[in-house]
Amino acid sequence: MDDRGLGGASYEQLTGMFEGFDWYQSKCAATAIFPKEVALEYLTMGLCSEAGEVAGKVKKKIRDGEPYNVKEQLAAELGDVFWYLAMLTDEAGLNLSDIAFNNLNKLYRRKIKDTLKGSGDNR
């Protein structure tokens, strides 16, 4: 893929768009309270737990109908998912911006190759 493959933006433009993720990631640590000796395990369980809360909100929407504030409820839970993702990423020594950019790049490559549908990591 050439430098303009992701929606017509250059590599430099795209990488600049993702810098806010790294700023967010750097700020999350100031709010973290967990045992550092089991950080990877704790953060992984927290991420799964918060993702489960998102699923619970959607399940209740299906069962009970849409509450008036469903967007606010989802936003709050997705924010918690994002916090755990940022902290887990940090614990792994990675950057959110790199993960976001590489994931979008992977998806656009699959789109170009017409392999968005299907299964397997290496399509």
Side-chain angles (χ1 to χ4, degrees), residues 61-120:
K61 178 182 176 287
I62 293 168
R63 182 189 67 201
D64 301 334
E66 186 166 319
Y68 74 94
N69 63 342
V70 68
K71 286 185 180 181
E72 291 85 4
Q73 290 180 17
L74 286 174
E77 298 305 337
L78 289 168
D80 292 340
V81 168
F82 198 53
W83 185 90
Y84 275 101
L85 176 63
M87 291 303 301
L88 185 57
T89 300
D90 198 60
E91 180 63 27
L94 301 167
N95 295 318
L96 276 175
S97 63
D98 292 339
I99 290 171
F101 176 81
N102 290 333
N103 184 259
L104 193 58
N105 190 32
K106 173 187 76 176
L107 293 172
Y108 267 86
R109 287 178 187 271
R110 287 180 181 172
K111 181 179 178 181
I112 289 167
K113 295 184 333 188
D114 197 28
T115 58
L116 280 171
K117 293 182 180 180
S119 61

Side-chain angles (χ1 to χ4, degrees), residues 47-68:
L47 178 61
C48 292
S49 176
E50 294 298 340
E53 289 190 36
V54 172
K57 298 292 183 194
V58 174
K59 176 197 72 161
K60 287 178 183 175
K61 178 182 176 287
I62 293 168
R63 182 189 67 201
D64 301 334
E66 186 166 319
Y68 74 94

Side-chain angles (χ1 to χ4, degrees), residues 17-41:
M17 290 178 199
F18 291 98
E19 288 175 353
F21 287 122
D22 292 337
W23 177 86
Y24 176 82
Q25 182 179 351
S26 72
K27 299 301 180 191
C28 286
T31 65
I33 302 172
F34 56 86
K36 302 298 183 198
E37 64 275 4
V38 290
L40 187 64
E41 296 86 349

